[in-house]
Amino acid sequence: MQQAAETILDVKGLRTVFRVRAGEVTAVNGIDLSVAAGETLALVGESGSGKSVTSLSVMRLLTRKIGAIAAGSVHLKRKDGKVRDLVSLSEQEMRSIRGDDIGMIFQEPMSSLNPVYTIGDQISEPIRIHRGADRKSAMDAAISLLDQVGIPDAARRVKQYPHELSGGMRQRATIAMALACDPTLLIADEPTTALDVTIQAQILDLLQKLQRERGMAMLFVTHNLGVVAEIAHRVAVMYAGRIVETGPVVDVFRNPKHPYTMGLLASMPKLGDATRMKQAGEKLAAIPGMVPSLMNMPAGCAFEPRCKFATEDCRKAVPPLFDVSPHHKSRCIHWQEV
Amino acid sequence: MSAPLLEVRDLAKQYTTRGSTLTILQNISFDIGKGEVVGLVGESGSGKTTIGRSVLRLIEPSAGSVRFDGTELTELSASQMRRARPRMQYIFQDPFASLSPRMTIGEILTEGLKIQGTGNSKERLDRARKALEQVDLPADAVNRYAHEFSGGQRQRIGIARALTLQPEFIVADEPVSALDVSIQAQVINLLRDLQQRLGLTMLFISHDLAVVEYICDRVIVLYLGRVMEIAPSAELYADPHHPYTRALLSAIPSPDPDAHRNRQILKGDIPSPANPPSGCVFRTRCPKAISRCAEVVPELRETAPGRFKACIRDDLNGSVS
């Protein structure tokens, strides 16, 4: 499927730097990824791994004061079929793409909605801006969108303000807003992290259904490996600003070939298995130490200081991505032993 | 199980705002045996933290009884309560908000001892150093400030603070929820280790059911301020009896790509405590609700030894997936 479908997003060699007092630090480096129509790629990693910086870079939402794309390309296939490199576009051109070709959903629905406008105003705004629709028809479209994202009594809800909705309903409303102009790419940055688990299940189910119906490409950023297995076709595991392992979710999770991915999977208590572990007196396989600071990166593999497979060679240079199989890659020189 | 260390009976908490009453907790009853770890699980608004805080009287319960080692805590005066506090301590969720940025770690760790009038300042500092060792932090951390530590280390400091008074009972309120997975495992291992080594009794509050399964002997499942089910953890996970517990367990996404995905998605939202449903509070989302569920408030009953549930439908047990 990933071969046959057309590529919507193609990121090559992306490097994003942050300005700090001491100069600049590299937040993400050498990111290559692509997402095809109808496909979901999950970017997974812990705090500071660079997953959100990657998604913000794709959307060009990093302000100049904070950081900038220093190298690489971000090619997007727009709705008209033309492929553009977002890195080279002006801010004005970017504005015509955000909300139209790219829909975005963020973690905290309350802060991505404006408290002084009604839900209907906010969902119809992109339709009016990008499509030039009049107020009335944009509001009708908003009602139909709310209906599609499973908000009951949509005609009444469009007149309400964000504070009148529950957390789950608000996230549904931001999804409606993101989908208003039929984007080819949906970027979802931790969209279920602030939600309770029963509501998370509803939202994941909704996103999957909408993606199937619309054939969108989806870039899904999360720290939750369970959510990845639930929603994504492929996964890219990030650590300290680089992709360390990538491939189909089934391959990567069943047969991880990077010690970090292995460590992450092993450090999670698993429902149903935890009782056995407790009775056997087994400890959770915690990863020792912590993520290195961006200001003070190891010269070689960034995971080497925490890695039980590490050898002298790991300290020499940043390892390239090795092919485990045609679609499964690992940034570990010892991947064959892992 | 030996005589319970903590006995909670009919605990309730209400808030009155602008003339209307919000019932946050109702009819909460449970025991915790000496050396036992009991998990309190539920979604936002279920009342987990309110129970944890009410038990230690960090907030005052509106009604009900909390007996700790035979003493009724709700009747103690402020000074009596202060004298009882060293035996019971609290670990907070947010390792950033719960440590004062203006105090050294040494000051943070000895504050409780100082209030209790334990030892002189040198002895107190020795205790602080020992507590730091217990949580695998260097003893010289006493001279540093909270901002010099990572999230995982701060949470260890929060645990050390709870330990300096050598308590018997600890309420751990989402102690690992703010941490990354790889760090979370370190802290869970530490908590379990300490609990076993020191024979601590614990009320472990979490929304993460896998963590609870790993660390707790028994689990209490809450929904909208009411107990839905209580069971030994091995049994709860293998065979949940209450429809809410079943739905909650099935909603947790599993990282195992081979896992059998038989997701049961609950419809709708958690109701507002300002306007709770009649009868069973879960009935508006319950896939097994019948008309009688709207009429009677289900009592928490013991349906098998050690297993309690608040559901009138006894015909469901064991058979429904």
Side-chain angles (χ1 to χ4, degrees), chain B residues 306-320:
Chain B
R307 298 211 57 167
F308 297 83
K309 73 163 183 173
C311 176
I312 57 169
R313 295 207 58 184
D314 284 328
D315 47 325
L316 300 174
N317 285 4
S319 58
V320 195

Side-chain angles (χ1 to χ4, degrees), chain B residues 107-230:
Chain B
E107 285 167 341
I108 290 171
L109 295 183
T110 54
E111 194 184 20
L113 294 165
K114 213 164 153 184
I115 290 168
Q116 295 295 333
T118 310
N120 59 32
S121 63
K122 193 187 158 296
E123 286 161 358
R124 289 198 286 265
L125 214 53
D126 281 344
R127 273 242 215 146
R129 289 205 181 91
K130 191 173 156 257
L132 285 169
E133 259 165 53
Q134 285 179 310
V135 299
D136 303 326
L137 285 177
D140 66 9
V142 288
N143 299 319
R144 292 157 70 187
Y145 289 89
H147 73 264
E148 299 174 58
F149 296 90
S150 68
Q153 290 171 325
R154 285 182 204 215
Q155 199 53 295
R156 288 169 191 269
I157 293 167
I159 296 168
R161 171 172 58 188
L163 294 178
T164 50
L165 286 154
Q166 297 173 325
E168 295 148 68
F169 176 58
I170 288 183
V171 177
D173 190 353
E174 304 263 16
V176 297
S177 307
L179 307 177
D180 272 319
V181 199
S182 70
I183 306 299
Q184 177 177 306
Q186 297 173 1
V187 176
I188 294 170
N189 284 338
L190 172 71
L191 276 171
R192 216 167 99 81
D193 219 48
L194 287 169
Q195 187 271 327
Q196 290 178 337
R197 222 170 45 213
L198 306 173
L200 292 169
T201 304
M202 243 158 84
L203 182 62
F204 189 92
I205 300 173
S206 179
H207 68 281
D208 186 330
L209 280 99
V211 171
V212 166
E213 180 183 1
Y214 184 69
I215 212 159
C216 299
D217 304 311
R218 279 192 309 134
V219 182
I220 302 170
V221 182
L222 296 169
Y223 186 81
L224 206 67
R226 278 78 165 172
V227 175
M228 297 288 114
E229 181 163 5
I230 302 180

